[in-house]
Amino acid sequence: MRTPPPAVIVIFGATGDLTQRKLMPGLYSLAAQQLLPPETAVIGVARSDLPDEEFRARMRAGVEAHGAIPVDDGVWEGFARRLRYLSAPFDQPEGFARLREMIAEKDARHGTRGNRLFYLATAPEFFPVIAENLGRAGLADEGDGTERFARLVVEKPFGEDLASARELNARLNVVFRERQVYRIDHYLGKETVQNLLVLRFGNAIFEPIWNRRYIDHVEITVSEDLGVGTRGGYYDQSGALRDIVQNHMLQVLSIVAMEPPARFESRDVRDEKVKVLRAIPCFDAASAARDAVRGQYGPGWIGGERVPGYRQEPGVDPASNTDTFVAMRLMVENWRWSGTPFYLRTGKRLPRRATEVSIHFKAAPHLPFATTAVESVAPNLLTLRIQPDEGASLRFLAKVPGPQIDLRPVSMDFAYGNAFLRTSPEAYERLLLDALLGDSTLFARWDEVERAWEIMDGLIHHWSATPGPFPNYDAGSWGPEAADALMARDGKVWRRL
Ligand code: BG6
């Protein structure tokens, strides 16, 4: 087990949703497994006035409601004793002077040795100003990083297009060096996403066929049945392309397509991932019109319930031009992948929640069976189920028992739930631990984030300048017809999930 050194963890945006739902449950779970040293202290910072006791009670409620394990009174007591709250506006230096005092006191009383992990879980407009105020208060300094650390974990969205991401990064870099910045993409914290690396690079049988010669196309789907819920205000400024495709899906794609890294270490892994992104051509007006489809849901039915359209959701502009669905075709122009399309599809209010990667292999070059036997022939398919129902399956043809040769596709299945008698840690739990340990392998490096924006920038601007044909799919359907047409043009269909 890897145990990090003691540290003070400071969460900005401590009264927000992310802290309640993900960060506190993640930290509590680490504490319960004794993966957090007992000296660790947590300071929540937000604007509202809140006594420590009230903050602790709210955090406990969050852990109880969203945590993966039941709360144990003894463990909670120990954890809560080191939980403090500081009310401070993010854009004024005074609060940061108080923060510095609190941290110094923790260092002296609990032996946190000057180690600091700052987590930006606020609205994105506060990211640079918080970093600047930390710098002014002298809190970003870690010397040469060997004796103590000061790290900044930055939530998404990291910018809203290429220019704003560059500006944000430049402002963070005035205060924090790249090695101190941990850009979260929680998909990388998912066990099943890490398992893609193990499947590819821990087994010898996949690598020889993992290329354009054997793989016809790759499909990556992130489908959600939920709508935007209470996040309409944020989402309406973002949309599916920025919210899911530019980050989570391009990260998954780069793991599927990368070359084997020499070592499973942050530089090697991230070097290989960014090479994939560099091989993907950037969208321009022509490819935006040809290879990408956007959608926005109208009212419909999900699970037998009538649900409103996107434009009727709270916080959303009734004439909104925001995409809640994206489908696209990307090419990775290198020796391994040239000619093998990658199809990406994501949407809100689709019929079910499912994230998966499917590797569609080419059909057998010749089938020596009677044509009547091969009507239902389906090429091999390797499906990696990221969530839910985590696992993988391989489809192949088998002979139907009987006197003649009839073929039917069957599958071999691996399910995490059956194979391992333990539950997977939550993505945030894993990533918090890694950030405390100083392991940035599962965080996005700046050149990856920048390249991901470069690829999508032309599309983002093309779409924001032209009104979408919205709404163009019913809640509870698989998205607009144009998404099917995108596949049909290449003689393919989306996998039915
Ligand atoms: C977040 C997006 O990054 O990922 C949300 O902002 C989305 O809109 C969520 O619902 C999906 O995450 P997961 O882990 O449920 O697939």
Side-chain angles (χ1 to χ4, degrees):
M1 283 295 184
R2 307 179 305 160
T3 312
V8 181
I9 302 169
V10 182
I11 302 176
F12 293 94
T15 51
D17 230 36
L18 185 75
T19 307
Q20 278 238 330
R21 286 171 175 272
K22 302 287 184 190
L23 305 183
M24 280 300 156
L27 287 172
Y28 173 77
S29 174
L30 291 174
Q33 297 166 75
Q34 297 177 341
L35 290 171
L36 275 191
E39 300 89 341
T40 311
V42 181
I43 303 175
V45 186
R47 276 160 296 183
S48 32
D49 249 336
L50 213 59
D52 279 341
E53 275 319 310
E54 167 72 21
F55 178 63
R56 289 184 189 127
R58 280 199 202 179
M59 294 303 113
R60 177 163 181 155
V63 177
E64 276 168 0
H66 306 291
I69 46 171
V71 176
D72 174 281
D73 284 337
V75 177
W76 177 260
E77 290 289 297
F79 180 73
R81 225 175 292 134
R82 299 185 196 290
L83 199 54
R84 294 281 309 274
Y85 180 78
L86 172 67
S87 153
F90 304 135
D91 50 1
Q92 286 161 32
E94 296 78 48
F96 289 77
R98 275 187 291 137
L99 179 63
R100 187 179 53 214
E101 284 162 25
M102 273 171 95
I103 292 178
E105 183 201 313
K106 298 273 172 209
D107 279 345
R109 281 208 359 230
H110 303 314
T112 33
R113 305 185 207 155
N115 293 326
R116 304 178 282 274
L117 185 78
F118 300 108
Y119 199 116
L120 302 184
T122 64
E125 65 259 33
F126 295 114
F127 295 171
V129 73
I130 292 174
E132 283 154 11
N133 279 327
L134 287 170
R136 271 188 214 112
L139 288 167
D141 179 38
E142 62 167 14
D144 65 2
T146 52
E147 291 189 357
R148 61 198 156 87
F149 64 77
R151 300 188 186 125
L152 186 72
V153 183
V154 190
E155 256 301 327
K156 61 174 284 231
F158 199 95
E160 56 186 42
D161 60 5
L162 180 60
S164 59
R166 281 187 176 148
E167 189 196 322
L168 169 60
N169 199 56
R171 284 179 72 183
L172 297 183
N173 277 170
V174 171
V175 185
F176 290 92
R177 285 179 222 159
E178 174 64 27
R179 69 153 200 259
Q180 295 174 277
V181 181
Y182 288 66
R183 294 174 197 80
I184 284 259
D185 187 308
H186 79 281
Y187 263 61
L188 296 176
K190 291 182 190 282
E191 283 288 324
T192 41
V193 171
Q194 294 159 47
N195 188 49
L196 285 171
L197 288 159
V198 174
L199 178 104
R200 288 199 54 205
F201 305 130
N203 296 294
I205 61 167
F206 296 113
E207 177 54 22
I209 55 171
W210 206 264
N211 56 52
R212 61 189 303 276
R213 281 188 295 286
Y214 291 91
I215 297 180
D216 181 76
H217 66 284
V218 176
E219 238 185 284
I220 304 177
T221 298
V222 175
S223 154
E224 296 184 279
D225 53 349
L226 294 179
V228 288
T230 54
R231 295 167 74 228
Y234 150 76
Y235 195 88
D236 209 32
Q237 304 301 314
S238 168
L241 180 57
R242 293 185 175 102
D243 189 49
I244 301 277
V245 182
Q246 183 271 345
N247 37 70
H248 305 325
M249 295 189 87
L250 284 184
Q251 284 291 335
V252 172
L253 186 157
S254 60
I255 291 175
V256 171
M258 72 196 269
E259 296 302 315
R263 280 173 306 268
F264 191 66
E265 278 175 13
S266 87
R267 197 182 65 185
D268 297 38
V269 171
R270 301 194 297 180
D271 281 352
E272 296 305 339
K273 277 165 57 199
V274 77
K275 280 190 217 160
V276 173
L277 298 177
R278 285 198 206 112
I280 300 176
C282 299
F283 274 102
D284 58 20
S287 56
R290 189 185 60 229
D291 295 331
V293 167
R294 58 181 155 162
Q296 187 194 78
Y297 61 87
W301 294 85
I302 297 244
E305 267 183 44
R306 183 99 183 130
V307 295
Y310 176 69
R311 291 178 177 182
Q312 288 83 53
E313 301 274 17
V316 171
D317 174 359
S320 172
N321 194 37
T322 299
D323 46 292
T324 62
F325 176 98
V326 173
M328 63 172 62
R329 174 185 190 271
L330 294 177
M331 299 306 285
V332 179
E333 297 297 1
N334 61 18
W335 272 54
R336 188 187 283 270
W337 294 115
S338 183
T340 298
F342 285 71
Y343 299 96
L344 274 47
R345 166 178 63 157
T346 185
K348 299 238 183 241
R349 285 292 191 217
L350 300 184
R352 54 178 292 237
R353 175 168 185 255
T355 295
E356 66 166 52
V357 176
S358 1
I359 313 289
H360 295 257
F361 290 94
K362 292 194 172 168
H366 167 70
L367 281 175
F369 311 111
T371 46
T372 49
V374 297
E375 264 172 11
S376 58
V377 162
N380 298 121
L381 174 71
L382 177 65
T383 304
L384 306 159
R385 297 188 303 274
I386 307 292
Q387 66 188 26
D389 186 23
E390 290 81 359
S393 65
L394 179 65
R395 182 177 74 192
F396 55 93
L397 290 180
K399 179 182 175 305
V400 180
Q404 74 275 16
I405 300 257
D406 274 339
L407 311 183
R408 184 169 318 147
V410 293
S411 36
M412 286 195 297
D413 200 62
F414 149 67
Y416 267 84
N418 299 340
F420 301 107
L421 296 174
R422 59 199 295 186
T423 50
S424 302
E426 275 280 319
Y428 274 92
E429 176 183 329
R430 168 66 197 260
L431 295 175
L432 281 162
L433 181 63
D434 281 2
L436 287 164
L437 285 161
D439 182 349
S440 53
T441 315
L442 300 177
F443 291 82
R445 202 166 63 188
W446 165 242
D447 54 353
E448 294 177 73
V449 175
E450 182 182 41
R451 180 62 194 172
W453 281 121
E454 267 171 14
I455 296 168
M456 297 300 166
D457 210 49
L459 185 56
I460 288 172
H461 292 292
H462 179 71
W463 279 356
S464 54
T466 49
F470 296 154
N472 59 352
Y473 70 100
D474 292 342
S477 74
W478 279 108
E481 280 168 14
D484 296 330
L486 177 81
M487 278 291 223
R489 199 181 68 201
D490 293 349
K492 305 186 198 312
V493 286
W494 294 103
R495 220 174 91 71
R496 201 175 291 186
L497 298 179

